[in-house]
Amino acid sequence: MSSNSEKPVPQAQLRVLQLKDGEHSNTTVYRLEKGWGLHFTLGPSLLGKKVHVFTNHPLSPDVAFDRGEYRELEWHLRSAARDDDTDVHVEIVCGMAGSFNFFFLYEGGGTILEPNGSGYFLVDPVLTVGAEKQPLPLDSIQCQTVLSKCMGKLSEWEARLQVAKESGYNMIHFTPVQGLGKSNSAYSIKDQLKLNPVYQSKGRKETLNDLGKIIQKMRNEWKILSICDIVLNHSANESPWLQAHPECAYNLVNAPHLRPAYLLDRALWHFTLEIIAGTWKAHGITQNDISREQLQRVGAVLNDCVIPKLKIEEFYILDVEKIVEEFRDKALDQGPNLSLFSPGLNLEIVQDPQYRRLQCGIDMELALKLFNREKNTVAQGEDRVVLCCAELRTQLMLLNRRAREVIDSHLKQAITCIIAGLEYFWLQDGGPKWKRVTKEDSISYQYFTHPGADTCLADDEALMDSKKAAFVMAHNGWVMNDDAMKNFAEPPSMVYLRRELIAWGDSVKLKYGQQPEDNPYLWKHMKEYVTETARIFHGVRLDNCHSTPIHVGEYVLDAARKIQPDLYVVAELFTCNEKTDNIFVNRFGISSLIREAMQAGDAHTLGATVHRYGGEPVGAFIQPPARPLTPCIAHAMLMDQTHDNPCPIKTRSVYDLLPNSALVSMSCCATGSTRGYDELVPYHVDVVKENRIFKSWSDASVDFACPSIGIKAGIIAGKKALNKLHQGLGAQGYNQVYVDQVDTNIISVTRHCYNTHKSVILVAHTAFQMPKKANETGHIPPLCVPGIVDEIILEARLVQKANGPVIEDKAFIAGLPDYVCEIRQHIQLKESDMVELSEEGERNLQVVDFSSFTPGSVIALKVSMNPSTTAAILQLRTALSQFGYRMRSYSGSRLTNKQGTDFRSIVQRMSLIDINRVLYRCDAEEKDDGKAFGAYEIPDKGPFVYCGLQGFISVLQDIRATNDLGHPLCENLRNGDWMPEYIAARLLVHPGTKELGKWFQQVFGFLQQIPRYLIPCYFDAIIYGAYTIILETIWSKMSEFVRTGSGFVKALALGSLQMCGQTKNAPLPALSPNLLAPKPPCCINAETGRKEQACATLAAGLPHFSHGIMRSWGRDTFIALPGLLLIPGRFQEARYIILAYAQCLRHGLIPNLLGGGTHARFNCRDAVWWWLQCIQEYCRIVPNGHTILKDLVSRLYPTDDSLAEEAGFCEQPLEDVIHEALQKHYQGQQFTERNAGHSIDENMRWEGFENCIGVDETTGFVFGGNVHNCGTWMDKMGSSEVSGNRGKPATPR
């Protein structure tokens, strides 16, 4: 790893992504914003490897983006630990919008083409409106789609677009504005580089530049952005440039695999013509019969008569005799193949690349190897070859039979698809229900253009081999449930032959190839089309995105972003797979995916849709500015209706349009609608068939027959208020969302602002079916409002004023005139016609009853906290401000902590032993204190691992990352104050932590006064902030190695806090009263009032070896002591432990189990040597550490046989104790362990209690023990009678 001496400037917002070996996150969406920092760090699987990270994100915004140009990122160190790659990162400062790729590889691992890991990250565009370039957040977008072809002359556009402006939209989506094909479909573009000539006024020749002036005026004066469709997959049949460049479309020359499908397509067309001509009357098929019986007859005729005559299989099978003859000639020339037979080799049909009849082949060399063999039963020569040919013929016929079966299955599927299509068009509800067979309403979609007259099939087949074959072009379309990552027009796809394509007969599918060199004209033409669109508009909508070749989309969008760096890219995707969606989002840099509210079949599904595509949950956790980069769903543009959706008045009811739109407006994402929805147009404004034009805006009162509309038309007044509400919620940070299904038809949506803790609650009465009693409210549960209703932002309903017949306007797209949107805005609760205040509810609650809330009604309430809650939150934020949270008051001013409540100074005054109690202590340690505390336990979920803050942090850190407010911990917090009270109470009972306990008690007192739904987020902020300060304090009290060490070193250092603490029932023996300063810490025994020594001890393990006699083990203590105490700089704790064990020396040994000294066991032969090693390390590491050798040791056992003596009775320097330990070993010792028997080890034999230690004078090695005891680390005594190991030491673990 190389490091840069100049550290990067930290960013205001920082996201960190940990790299993992083998992880390719290409289907995961990561969203960032411009100006944010992104750090990549190494995960455990990459530690120790020399990792190289590359990205195509430019070094600065001044450098042009090139998708194929990567730069290696430089590693930076966050600490002084230069050899510690746990603390390194590479950094990207997000400087431009778009999609960017990263990959990494390590030496000895992957390659650039096959890296060890990869992924994408998206940087959102920054959209601005107005001459002053005011920001428009993505979540504030409200977009209206207009069918450009219905806008009339360009000179009239402003008046028609003013409808969107006055309705409160801030973005308009235009369908293609270029010249259209013969069908006049909005998406069948004839000339991608010219404005549709229908927009031109008489005597004028407007161009795209004239349209651009309107677009700029809308942005600068109206504060409305514009986006336009780009259609990359197809072009109109009549496109003049296709006649000059037929290679740009899939045709029978550049895609000969489509020849059989073309022949089938022509046969079906002739079949249609024959039905019209009456040719099939004898079979019961007539032009005017569209019954189910006719469907069956059509299927039978196709299967028995029409399709078999085509002999489609001949395009895929062999001319057997021709191939056998070729084989015969070569076999005679070559003679028999004498090589050994090679198993696993099989003869297969080699498809003719030109797809001609009976022109498929085989691998003749392989055939000669397999079939040109010796024949023992006949003589050599021609007779042998005849037998070989017969065997080959049999195999070829078998291959042909298999090929026929495959093709037959494809053709049967084709018939199935044809009949299914006819059933929809003829019979199904919701279908068009054709009346007769015509050229327009034919038996099946036409899949190909036909550059000639309709003569006969023979002429059609002959055309395939003529110059006109290049003009037989395949239509585009879509395939239900198809794999979006595969091109259905390329082999081996059989979609065209299987008739699975829902074809668009007015457009042909474009054939790009894999790179611009494959089709230079097409790539150049479409690049110019897209860049010209980006020059005029502020964004693009990718039509039919799921069928867009990814490499093509990348190419043209990269070019567009060079013109419009903050290009807003919207797309529709119908892949039916979120991971596949994410591939397109990542590769194209899609800003928002279109999602459809009309896909919801009921109110519950609609509510779930609003919830899924918008914001954080209400009461979401407060996230630090630097945090892990987490996956997200693609940003959405939720549409109340798209221009592809059927008319909602027909699929639902007219009363549902307002509540549906209201619920969409409450979603925390971009929203949208289509022109006609707000006007209550009672029919589908069809992108193909619609030729009428939209009405213009008028501020005057107008009637139905007028070519203009005003604020009273349809639900425009309601939509304007809803759009204003949606834009304000997005701009003002109301990014927390809660959706409640009140009953079957009523949904409540809450948008909450964390900064102000104000909420907007919208309730909508949906009407998915036409209500039987449109003027009745019915029973609606009351609304419990968490706070005070400041005002009713709006209340609106759709009311039928008349019941006249629907008059269809022949010239204009017009809505229903008999329905009126009644709306009132910014009124007080007491003025409402829909609701009334029932009573004051519980604390912090108001209860609102629905008095008149009929189907189609919506109401939006603005809610704030009551004064006591507001004051409590202000106190909480003041307390939190000292933790580094950028807290502000409700007025927006920066909060500072009041003097006397400084959390950091409180913690600084605490010892590390006190902090052990604050952060850690397992259940057994806590209970050992006898203060009636143990680990906190959530009912039915079990206790936490630690009693201290770490127990809560370990759970909270996972909850916080995903905002899992449904977690049992959050539920426990909402249900009561037990958890905060526990945290404060356990600290209050100990002198060393009492001050901190009071701080928590005070802060948690404020916490109790806020609404229950906010308690988890503030509780987490308090605990996380406190935890962060405590960790900083811990490290500040440790050695320079820890203070300046890596994050990994600091994390390891916390083990010192975990394992080292003071417990009541596992004390060190009292140290010498004459010990030089610093003296051991003391405390007052609350029960006796006496002063007692309060030294820390090391737990041998948590939780089982944490208390009582099982806590302090000599071997475990001194193996761990250098790492837990000496390296972190806790020299005094180490000193006291070394001296305490020295006091217990007996028989030249220190205790195995300390037992406070008076209950020690001396059955460990190696602990004394670990102890001696620690003394040596102490002298080496600690400044003036050698002075410990002069420290006085109060011998608990002055002699090996003496009883325990009081501290100070017999004292000697530590160096003398060391000498005695060495001397005793050299002299040798034999003793029986005290209290030998089952009371101290129920499984050991008596011989095991006999100890013998000494030194082998010939080798210098120490020895000790016997076969019946276990004096080393393998000290588990066997205990099983069944396995026969009872009383046998050192059983394997």
Side-chain angles (χ1 to χ4, degrees):
M1 305 284 177
S2 61
S3 65
N4 189 352
S5 58
E6 186 176 330
K7 292 188 176 180
V9 178
Q11 306 300 311
Q13 286 288 334
L14 175 66
R15 299 296 180 267
V16 181
L17 185 63
Q18 188 180 83
L19 302 177
K20 300 173 184 176
D21 192 4
E23 184 175 76
H24 298 273
S25 53
N26 302 330
T27 60
T28 302
V29 173
Y30 294 112
R31 285 181 61 205
L32 300 133
E33 295 182 18
K34 289 170 77 170
W36 287 11
L38 173 61
H39 285 185
F40 294 111
T41 62
L42 299 178
S45 58
L46 293 173
L47 297 180
K49 295 181 171 69
K50 192 166 185 180
V51 180
H52 302 270
V53 184
F54 301 85
T55 183
N56 58 6
H57 185 286
L59 182 62
S60 75
D62 300 328
V63 179
F65 172 69
D66 183 339
R67 187 174 295 272
E69 184 174 322
Y70 286 79
R71 61 187 175 95
E72 184 173 359
L73 300 175
E74 193 169 13
W75 290 100
H76 301 281
L77 286 165
R78 288 193 295 267
S79 67
R82 296 194 172 273
D83 296 323
D84 189 344
D85 54 7
T86 65
D87 218 28
V88 297
H89 70 273
V90 295
E91 181 181 53
I92 297 171
V93 177
C94 300
M96 61 175 58
S99 167
F100 305 97
N101 179 236
F102 69 88
F103 69 87
F104 65 89
L105 48 90
Y106 50 80
E107 296 183 7
T111 64
I112 291 177
L113 296 178
E114 294 184 2
N116 297 106
S118 63
Y120 289 84
F121 59 94
L122 305 181
V123 181
D124 289 338
V126 176
L127 305 180
T128 59
V129 294
E132 301 81 16
K133 295 187 177 180
Q134 301 168 8
L136 177 62
L138 298 191
D139 290 341
S140 288
I141 290 172
Q142 45 251 358
C143 178
Q144 185 180 63
T145 295
V146 296
L147 260 63
S148 302
K149 69 174 189 173
C150 299
M151 291 293 293
K153 303 302 180 183
L154 194 64
S155 58
E156 303 168 357
W157 275 36
E158 282 192 32
R160 294 195 167 90
L161 292 172
Q162 193 176 355
V163 175
K165 173 181 179 291
E166 300 299 334
S167 300
Y169 293 97
N170 54 32
M171 181 177 285
I172 295 178
H173 158 227
F174 294 89
T175 58
V177 297
Q178 293 80 7
L180 302 180
K182 182 180 179 181
S183 70
N184 201 35
S185 168
Y187 289 92
S188 181
I189 304 175
K190 181 173 68 174
D191 192 335
Q192 285 79 8
L193 303 181
K194 292 182 180 179
L195 186 69
N196 194 334
V198 302
Y199 307 146
Q200 295 177 1
S201 303
K202 190 174 182 179
R204 299 181 62 183
K205 192 175 182 180
E206 286 99 345
T207 67
L208 288 169
N209 289 331
D210 296 301
L211 173 60
K213 294 175 183 177
I214 298 175
I215 300 302
Q216 285 305 106
K217 177 180 179 179
M218 289 165 54
R219 176 181 186 169
N220 294 334
E221 298 181 20
W222 294 3
K223 298 183 179 179
I224 295 178
L225 297 181
S226 302
I227 65 174
C228 185
D229 280 291
I230 55 173
V231 183
L232 300 176
N233 299 297
H234 57 259
S235 191
N237 299 342
E238 302 79 22
S239 300
W241 57 274
L242 278 177
Q243 299 304 308
H245 295 277
E247 75 280 2
C248 294
Y250 282 89
N251 59 52
L252 299 190
V253 174
N254 61 20
H257 63 283
L258 296 176
R259 286 161 56 101
Y262 165 70
L263 195 60
L264 174 60
D265 190 60
R266 293 303 298 163
L268 293 173
W269 177 247
H270 286 295
F271 182 49
T272 295
L273 298 179
E274 289 166 358
I275 292 175
I276 296 171
T279 305
W280 294 95
K281 285 184 179 179
H283 290 76
I285 300 175
T286 63
Q287 181 181 11
N288 297 318
D289 185 358
I290 47 97
S291 65
R292 192 168 297 279
E293 291 73 21
Q294 169 128 321
L295 273 183
Q296 296 174 352
R297 291 191 288 271
V298 168
V301 167
L302 287 174
N303 187 69
D304 300 335
C305 303
V306 176
I307 292 179
K309 290 180 181 179
L310 301 176
K311 297 183 179 180
I312 295 292
E313 71 277 3
E314 289 186 352
F315 293 96
Y316 301 94
I317 63 174
L318 308 161
D319 184 336
V320 173
E321 294 306 322
K322 177 182 176 183
I323 291 175
V324 169
E325 186 63 27
E326 180 184 356
F327 173 86
R328 177 182 176 280
D329 293 342
K330 292 190 176 184
L332 285 171
D333 289 342
Q334 295 179 6
N337 177 19
L338 301 179
S339 63
L340 294 176
F341 183 77
S342 301
L345 296 177
N346 294 303
L347 205 59
E348 301 290 346
I349 293 177
V350 178
Q351 178 63 51
D352 172 32
Q354 297 305 312
Y355 285 78
R356 296 164 295 179
R357 291 186 184 272
L358 299 175
Q359 293 301 308
C360 291
I362 61 172
D363 184 342
M364 187 58 71
E365 292 300 317
L366 178 59
L368 290 167
K369 287 182 181 179
L370 295 177
F371 294 96
N372 184 24
R373 314 291 296 188
E374 289 275 11
K375 301 297 179 184
N376 297 327
T377 57
V378 298
Q380 296 300 313
E382 195 163 331
D383 291 339
R384 180 192 65 81
V385 173
V386 168
L387 289 177
C388 293
C389 288
E391 291 179 358
L392 176 61
R393 183 180 290 106
T394 300
Q395 181 62 29
L396 296 180
M397 293 174 68
L398 175 62
L399 293 177
N400 273 355
R401 185 170 72 249
R402 290 174 180 170
R404 285 190 180 95
E405 290 171 353
V406 171
I407 298 305
D408 187 55
S409 69
H410 291 324
L411 295 174
K412 288 189 182 303
Q413 173 65 11
I415 295 172
T416 299
C417 292
I418 293 167
I419 299 304
L422 287 175
E423 184 173 8
Y424 168 75
F425 289 118
W426 287 3
L427 304 173
Q428 279 186 11
D429 292 336
K433 293 195 175 181
W434 292 343
K435 303 299 183 183
R436 60 208 301 260
V437 178
T438 65
K439 287 185 178 181
E440 291 74 27
D441 300 336
S442 61
I443 287 296
S444 183
Y445 299 100
Q446 284 191 273
Y447 277 14
F448 297 88
T449 60
H450 179 68
D454 295 325
T455 54
C456 64
L457 270 175
D459 290 345
D460 295 339
E461 186 163 356
L463 184 147
M464 295 196 302
D465 296 313
S466 71
K467 292 182 178 180
K468 290 184 177 181
F471 299 93
V472 177
M473 300 178 183
H475 292 311
N476 195 22
W478 69 283
V479 184
M480 191 176 297
N481 300 322
D482 193 34
D483 184 349
M485 303 307 296
K486 296 179 180 178
N487 186 341
F488 59 76
E490 291 283 353
S493 171
M494 302 293 276
V495 159
Y496 282 85
L497 185 64
R498 291 166 63 87
R499 307 296 293 185
E500 292 172 331
L501 180 72
I502 299 174
W504 302 321
D506 58 357
S507 301
V508 294
K509 188 170 181 63
L510 299 178
K511 182 178 174 63
Y512 287 90
Q514 296 304 309
Q515 55 193 349
E517 292 77 11
D518 292 341
N519 202 328
Y521 181 86
L522 179 60
W523 287 74
K524 179 178 179 295
H525 180 79
M526 299 308 277
K527 176 183 176 182
E528 188 176 350
Y529 157 53
V530 173
T531 53
E532 183 69 359
T533 302
R535 182 181 66 82
I536 294 171
F537 296 92
H538 312 109
V540 295
R541 175 184 176 272
L542 296 172
D543 178 64
N544 199 29
C545 180
H546 48 279
S547 293
T548 302
I550 286 181
H551 57 290
V552 174
E554 289 177 329
Y555 178 82
V556 297
L557 287 173
D558 288 351
R561 286 191 172 100
K562 285 182 170 62
I563 305 297
Q564 190 79 258
D566 283 293
L567 187 75
Y568 182 58
V569 180
V570 186
E572 56 168 2
L573 281 172
F574 301 110
T575 69
C576 302
N577 184 293
E578 185 172 326
K579 288 188 175 180
T580 306
D581 281 359
N582 290 347
I583 292 175
F584 284 92
V585 171
N586 282 333
R587 298 288 292 273
F588 292 167
I590 295 173
S591 311
S592 302
L593 277 185
I594 293 173
R595 302 301 187 187
E596 302 175 4
M598 292 302 296
Q599 293 294 323
D602 52 39
H604 173 77
T605 308
L606 179 56
T609 301
V610 172
H611 169 76
R612 173 167 176 73
Y613 296 119
E616 301 175 335
V618 170
F621 291 98
I622 304 167
Q623 302 289 352
R627 57 183 182 269
L629 180 64
T630 55
C632 62
I633 64 171
H635 186 262
M637 175 182 282
L638 183 59
M639 310 280 288
D640 53 25
Q641 182 196 7
T642 71
H643 59 296
D644 291 323
N645 292 143
C647 176
I649 295 176
K650 294 183 177 180
T651 57
R652 294 186 185 175
S653 79
V654 66
Y655 289 100
D656 192 63
L657 271 69
L658 180 60
N660 178 62
S661 190
L663 291 170
V664 168
S665 297
M666 287 297 285
S667 59
C668 189
C669 61
T671 61
S673 187
T674 190
R675 179 74 191 267
Y677 182 98
D678 301 341
E679 297 152 66
L680 303 184
V681 173
Y683 48 83
H684 181 212
V685 182
D686 193 279
V687 298
V688 178
K689 300 177 181 178
E690 188 60 67
N691 292 312
R692 290 167 290 190
I693 61 175
F694 294 117
K695 291 188 174 185
S696 303
W697 181 261
S698 173
D699 290 323
S701 179
V702 294
D703 59 23
F704 175 77
C706 184
S708 58
I709 55 174
I711 193 70
K712 294 183 179 180
I715 60 168
I716 288 179
K719 179 58 78 70
K720 181 175 184 177
L722 291 169
N723 280 338
K724 181 180 179 182
L725 175 62
H726 176 262
Q727 182 166 357
L729 293 175
Q732 295 164 26
Y734 285 75
N735 62 348
Q736 297 184 355
V737 182
Y738 173 69
V739 180
D740 181 27
Q741 182 81 40
V742 178
D743 69 12
T744 305
N745 297 309
I746 296 177
I747 300 174
S748 165
V749 181
T750 300
R751 290 280 297 271
H752 182 78
C753 175
Y754 165 76
N755 291 330
T756 63
H757 283 310
K758 292 183 181 295
S759 299
V760 172
I761 303 174
L762 183 140
V763 185
H765 193 158
T766 64
F768 277 71
Q769 292 82 35
M770 195 68 178
K772 295 178 180 178
K773 298 179 180 179
N775 297 321
E776 293 187 10
T777 298
H779 172 71
I780 301 174
L783 178 69
C784 294
V785 178
I788 298 172
V789 178
D790 293 334
E791 68 166 349
I792 295 176
I793 300 172
L794 66 91
E795 60 178 28
R797 60 161 59 97
L798 192 66
V799 178
Q800 186 175 12
K801 292 296 185 180
N803 194 16
V806 176
I807 303 173
E808 189 168 339
D809 193 313
K810 301 298 182 182
F812 295 97
I813 298 169
L816 296 174
D818 295 342
Y819 291 85
V820 175
C821 178
E822 295 182 345
I823 182 169
R824 302 172 72 203
Q825 300 183 63
H826 304 294
I827 60 175
Q828 294 301 304
L829 188 60
K830 62 184 179 182
E831 301 175 85
S832 173
D833 292 333
M834 293 186 175
V835 297
E836 56 188 25
L837 184 63
S838 172
E839 58 184 38
E840 294 292 340
E842 301 175 8
R843 188 183 70 181
N844 300 331
L845 286 179
Q846 284 186 337
V847 179
V848 175
D849 286 332
F850 294 89
S851 55
S852 177
F853 202 64
T854 56
S857 299
V858 298
I859 186 169
L861 312 173
K862 185 176 182 180
V863 178
S864 61
M865 303 293 181
N866 61 40
S868 62
T869 301
T870 301
I873 290 176
L874 197 58
Q875 292 288 351
L876 284 173
R877 291 185 169 186
T878 302
L880 289 171
S881 64
Q882 63 191 298
F883 295 150
Y885 292 102
R886 292 175 290 183
M887 292 293 173
R888 296 187 179 273
S889 68
Y890 294 108
S891 64
S893 59
R894 186 71 180 266
L895 292 171
T896 55
N897 189 47
K898 294 182 180 179
Q899 190 174 4
T901 60
D902 182 23
F903 183 89
R904 190 183 296 271
S905 65
I906 294 173
V907 178
Q908 283 285 357
R909 291 192 290 271
M910 296 168 61
S911 69
L912 291 178
I913 297 175
D914 293 329
I915 296 177
N916 162 264
R917 190 180 304 280
V918 175
L919 280 192
Y920 299 108
R921 296 177 71 82
C922 65
D923 182 70
E925 290 177 293
E926 193 80 354
K927 289 177 178 176
D928 193 57
D929 284 340
K931 303 289 187 182
F933 287 99
Y936 189 82
E937 182 172 354
I938 296 176
D940 301 324
K941 297 299 178 182
F944 287 169
V945 174
Y946 292 108
C947 304
L949 298 186
Q950 184 65 60
F952 301 92
I953 282 290
S954 296
V955 181
L956 284 169
Q957 63 186 4
D958 294 330
I959 299 174
R960 185 189 316 111
T962 58
N963 270 320
D964 183 10
L965 292 172
H967 192 278
L969 182 146
C970 299
E971 188 68 20
N972 186 265
L973 285 167
R974 287 190 291 266
N975 289 340
D977 300 317
W978 313 291
M979 196 181 299
E981 289 173 350
Y982 164 87
I983 290 173
R986 64 177 292 271
L987 299 179
L988 287 169
V989 298
H990 295 281
T993 59
K994 187 173 182 178
E995 188 179 6
L996 185 62
K998 288 181 178 179
W999 186 92
F1000 276 116
Q1001 188 178 50
Q1002 180 186 27
V1003 172
F1004 288 148
F1006 301 131
L1007 189 71
Q1008 295 173 6
Q1009 300 174 43
I1010 69 175
R1012 304 307 302 185
Y1013 70 89
L1014 289 177
I1015 286 180
C1017 80
Y1018 276 101
F1019 174 83
D1020 171 72
I1022 294 166
I1023 298 302
Y1024 179 73
Y1027 180 74
T1028 302
I1029 297 295
I1030 291 170
L1031 292 189
E1032 292 174 1
T1033 304
I1034 290 169
W1035 295 322
S1036 72
K1037 292 175 178 286
M1038 289 186 171
S1039 64
E1040 183 182 2
F1041 173 76
V1042 173
R1043 290 195 303 272
T1044 62
S1046 67
F1048 180 63
V1049 167
K1050 290 179 177 179
L1052 287 178
L1054 293 180
S1056 173
L1057 268 289
Q1058 289 172 297
M1059 309 304 294
C1060 184
Q1062 191 262 330
T1063 58
K1064 181 178 179 181
N1065 294 323
L1068 291 180
L1071 298 178
S1072 169
N1074 301 311
L1075 190 65
L1076 295 177
K1079 301 272 188 181
C1082 296
C1083 64
I1084 304 298
N1085 188 313
E1087 297 175 1
T1088 64
R1090 297 173 59 185
K1091 187 176 182 182
E1092 294 181 351
Q1093 181 177 286
C1095 290
T1097 56
L1098 293 179
L1102 299 177
H1104 302 297
F1105 298 97
S1106 63
H1107 64 289
I1109 192 172
M1110 302 303 288
R1111 177 179 176 87
S1112 297
W1113 294 64
R1115 174 191 304 109
D1116 303 68
T1117 292
F1118 292 106
I1119 288 176
L1121 187 141
L1124 292 180
L1125 297 179
L1126 294 182
I1127 291 175
R1130 301 184 66 180
F1131 302 142
Q1132 292 309 314
E1133 285 97 332
R1135 174 183 174 224
Y1136 302 143
I1137 292 174
I1138 289 170
L1139 295 176
Y1141 274 85
Q1143 291 185 185
C1144 301
L1145 189 78
R1146 208 174 199 180
H1147 306 295
L1149 302 173
I1150 65 167
N1152 184 21
L1153 288 169
L1154 182 60
T1158 56
H1159 295 80
R1161 283 194 66 184
F1162 295 89
N1163 62 328
C1164 177
R1165 297 194 297 274
D1166 56 344
V1168 67
W1169 303 103
W1170 289 110
W1171 173 71
L1172 291 168
Q1173 177 65 26
C1174 278
I1175 296 172
Q1176 188 175 27
E1177 291 296 315
Y1178 184 95
C1179 294
R1180 183 178 65 85
I1181 294 173
V1182 179
N1184 299 315
H1186 62 278
T1187 58
I1188 195 175
L1189 300 176
K1190 303 295 183 182
D1191 275 337
L1192 292 178
V1193 175
S1194 284
R1195 296 295 298 275
L1196 196 59
Y1197 305 105
T1199 66
D1200 291 342
D1201 298 321
S1202 65
L1203 297 175
E1205 300 289 354
E1206 294 290 333
F1209 177 79
C1210 177
E1211 297 191 331
Q1212 61 184 136
L1214 177 62
E1215 59 191 6
D1216 289 352
V1217 181
I1218 295 171
H1219 184 271
E1220 179 182 327
L1222 296 172
Q1223 186 175 23
K1224 291 269 185 171
H1225 273 77
Y1226 185 76
Q1227 292 173 345
Q1229 295 286 305
Q1230 288 188 351
F1231 64 94
T1232 301
E1233 190 176 354
R1234 285 161 182 76
N1235 304 314
H1238 290 176
S1239 62
I1240 61 174
D1241 194 324
E1242 62 181 7
N1243 296 308
M1244 187 180 287
R1245 298 180 185 180
W1246 182 261
E1247 296 90 336
F1249 295 107
E1250 298 291 340
N1251 287 277
C1252 177
I1253 63 174
V1255 176
D1256 186 331
E1257 295 186 9
T1258 61
T1259 64
F1261 287 167
V1262 296
F1263 64 83
N1266 57 56
V1267 296
H1268 302 291
N1269 58 30
C1270 37
T1272 64
W1273 68 272
M1274 296 181 67
D1275 58 359
K1276 175 68 175 72
M1277 181 59 69
S1279 58
S1280 173
E1281 293 284 4
V1282 176
S1283 63
N1285 69 356
R1286 183 172 184 183
K1288 296 181 180 179
T1291 54
R1293 307 201 206 183

